[in-house]
Amino acid sequence: MAEVKEITVPDIGDFDAVDVIEILVGPGDTVAAEDSLITLESDKATMEVPSPFSGTIKEILISAGDQVSEGTAVAKIEVAEAAAEPESKSEPEPEPEPAPEPESKPEPAAKAEPKAEPAPEPAPAAAPSDGKLAHASPSVRRFARELGVPLGEVKGTGRKGRITREDVQSFVKSALSGGGSAGAAPSGGSGIPPIPAVDFAKFGEIEEVPLSRIKKLSGPHLHRSWLNIPHVTQFDDADITELEAFRQREKAAAEKAGVKLTPLAFLVKAAASALGEHPTLNSSLNPDGSALIMKHYINIGVAVDTPNGLVVPVIKDADKKGIYAIAADLGELSVKARDGKLGPGDMQGGTFSISSLGGIGGTAFTPIVNAPEVAILGVSKSSTQPVWDGQAFQPRLMLPLSLSYDHRVIDGAAAARFTTYLSSLLGDLRRLIL
């Protein structure tokens, strides 16, 4: 006999409150196992939630525009008999039902709060507790810590007063516009006066174009990084004359192997090697800024320009891969990025980033550090320049490098040593195998 089951959102990584942008099925539709049911869009990534069963959709439990997280009920499906039988054995799976228990734990806190209400004085004392009494998920707490927001001062608009990610963002916006508490000013940048509004229509015809979702998401992150990290940029030039000659010689062989050999593949490999020699640039500050977290892995994020904005997929274990493997990863991730098919795992775990404008132009720029990383390498367009070799000027292909770094972690001497070492690797590829 057919059985009706509930389909829930599976594990989607560290993402919380992800937007539903498309419902792909409706009541009465017949689906097979692994057919896509809905499309989610989160931090720079879109992903589809598949059906774990074959059967007929009985009811859709969400709508486009809703926000969901792991475990949210998506739909009810009448499972085909063949699929239902094996499932019935695992019926003791009402283990998800204990989930309500955690919900019940915050309630005592809610009951305790009325006791605190008669005494208004203790309320401010909750702020220094880093929101321990606040009703918020671990991911929202982490988000608040990154922004320096005291959860005790944030009003929750979620169920039972739960603090959501949007509540934290609203608190920061209010602080930036002068409406937030003074306590958040130092870490959130709320002391900065807002830019006054201008009526541009007074001067001529205008059109308002909405920002893409990617730009809406990445904008606050870049703003947060710029306000919280003391940026310094170290500029240098690398002589890539021999590297480019070698790349041109190897292009045909790489194409036969199904790989597009770009200068960026060599940059990633050289940067991974340089990070191994200078591990501080591969680290992060711990949340309270009292220690460095040294990472014993090297994952390099590469900025990719897409029609909807900039995304940064990550090449995992770049130090353990050869040039061809890195080139293959770059090609695959770039296609997924431009097609909007990057998954959460494709953009997590980065330890260092590279932003290359070499294919467009420019001589130097200041890239913004992708927090919680502590450094990012900007690469501009290479050009042939006269370089003195001790006896005469020789034409050499020079590549401009711009290393932005967190001055709390990296001092100028360390940054200069890193770019000098990186330039030496790019100048003589043989050093990569030493």
Side-chain angles (χ1 to χ4, degrees):
M1 181 176 174
E3 180 184 356
V4 175
K5 289 183 173 287
E6 193 173 76
I7 299 173
T8 60
V9 176
D11 180 7
I12 52 175
D14 293 334
F15 295 100
D16 188 45
V18 182
D19 289 335
V20 178
I21 62 171
E22 190 176 7
I23 307 291
L24 304 174
V25 296
D29 288 352
T30 301
V31 297
E34 300 305 318
D35 282 355
S36 296
L37 303 178
I38 61 173
T39 303
L40 307 179
E41 187 171 53
S42 63
D43 247 11
K44 304 181 183 178
T46 57
M47 63 204 94
E48 294 179 349
V49 174
S51 172
F53 316 111
S54 297
T56 303
I57 300 297
K58 301 299 290 180
E59 185 182 356
I60 298 295
L61 304 175
I62 55 172
S63 305
D66 287 354
Q67 291 192 323
V68 300
S69 54
E70 182 181 347
T72 301
V74 171
K76 290 184 178 178
I77 183 172
E78 186 177 280
V79 181
E81 289 187 29
E85 282 178 36
E87 284 296 340
S88 62
K89 293 180 185 176
S90 61
E91 201 137 299
E93 203 179 277
E95 286 210 52
E97 298 208 21
E101 278 189 67
E103 281 287 349
S104 64
K105 287 187 183 176
E107 288 192 63
K111 290 177 185 173
E113 271 188 297
K115 293 181 184 175
E117 274 182 10
E121 305 272 38
S129 69
D130 291 326
K132 284 178 186 171
L133 298 179
H135 187 16
S137 68
S139 61
V140 171
R141 291 179 186 279
R142 183 170 62 249
F143 182 56
R145 281 198 304 271
E146 289 174 357
L147 295 180
V149 172
L151 281 179
E153 297 179 20
V154 180
K155 182 180 178 182
T157 60
R159 188 163 161 266
K160 295 183 180 179
R162 190 182 189 88
I163 296 173
T164 66
R165 189 182 181 93
E166 287 70 29
D167 294 331
V168 176
Q169 290 172 332
S170 297
F171 181 88
V172 173
K173 286 177 185 175
S174 172
L176 287 171
S177 62
S181 71
S187 57
S190 60
I192 299 174
I195 298 171
V198 176
D199 182 8
F200 298 106
K202 291 193 303 184
F203 311 111
E205 186 179 342
I206 64 169
E207 177 187 4
E208 193 167 290
V209 180
L211 289 175
S212 69
R213 177 166 175 77
I214 287 178
K215 288 186 177 178
K216 285 180 182 177
L217 290 168
S218 61
H221 174 69
L222 292 170
H223 190 204
R224 183 167 68 242
S225 294
W226 183 254
L227 289 176
N228 285 287
I229 294 175
H231 281 67
V232 180
T233 305
Q234 168 74 18
F235 300 102
D236 210 337
D237 290 316
D239 186 339
I240 61 166
T241 309
E242 272 72 38
L243 184 155
E244 181 58 17
F246 174 75
R247 187 181 75 86
Q248 293 295 339
R249 288 196 303 270
E250 290 296 313
K251 274 175 71 175
E255 284 174 10
K256 284 182 182 177
V259 172
K260 187 176 181 182
L261 202 57
T262 64
L264 189 54
F266 292 91
L267 273 165
V268 171
K269 181 63 179 175
S273 181
L275 289 170
E277 288 293 317
H278 300 270
T280 303
L281 282 86
N282 196 57
S283 68
S284 288
L285 272 174
N286 74 345
D288 64 10
S290 64
L292 279 183
I293 298 171
M294 306 300 293
K295 302 160 194 169
H296 300 299
Y297 54 91
I298 296 175
N299 298 337
I300 296 185
V302 178
V304 177
D305 187 26
T306 75
N308 292 319
L310 202 66
V311 293
V312 188
V314 176
I315 297 174
K316 307 289 172 58
D317 296 320
D319 55 322
K320 299 175 183 176
K321 294 178 178 175
I323 299 289
Y324 274 27
I326 291 172
D329 283 356
L330 283 170
E332 180 185 341
L333 289 170
S334 296
V335 170
K336 289 172 74 174
R338 293 190 178 97
D339 291 344
K341 298 295 185 184
L342 286 171
D346 293 324
M347 295 188 292
Q348 293 176 340
T351 61
F352 182 84
S353 296
I354 296 177
S355 178
S356 176
L357 301 179
I360 302 173
T363 56
F365 65 104
T366 299
I368 297 177
V369 174
N370 185 22
E373 297 168 18
V374 295
I376 180 172
L377 180 69
V379 183
S380 299
K381 187 177 179 63
S382 60
S383 62
T384 301
Q385 298 177 18
V387 177
W388 183 254
D389 67 359
Q391 295 182 326
F393 284 103
Q394 302 293 342
R396 307 295 292 177
L397 186 63
M398 305 301 291
L399 182 70
L401 304 176
S402 307
L403 179 77
S404 288
Y405 56 92
D406 186 338
H407 207 4
R408 296 171 301 174
V409 177
I410 302 157
D411 59 29
R417 291 189 191 100
F418 178 84
T419 56
T420 299
Y421 185 77
L422 177 61
S423 297
S424 72
L425 295 177
L426 294 170
D428 188 350
L429 290 176
R430 294 171 297 183
R431 295 175 64 92
L432 286 173
I433 62 174
L434 294 178

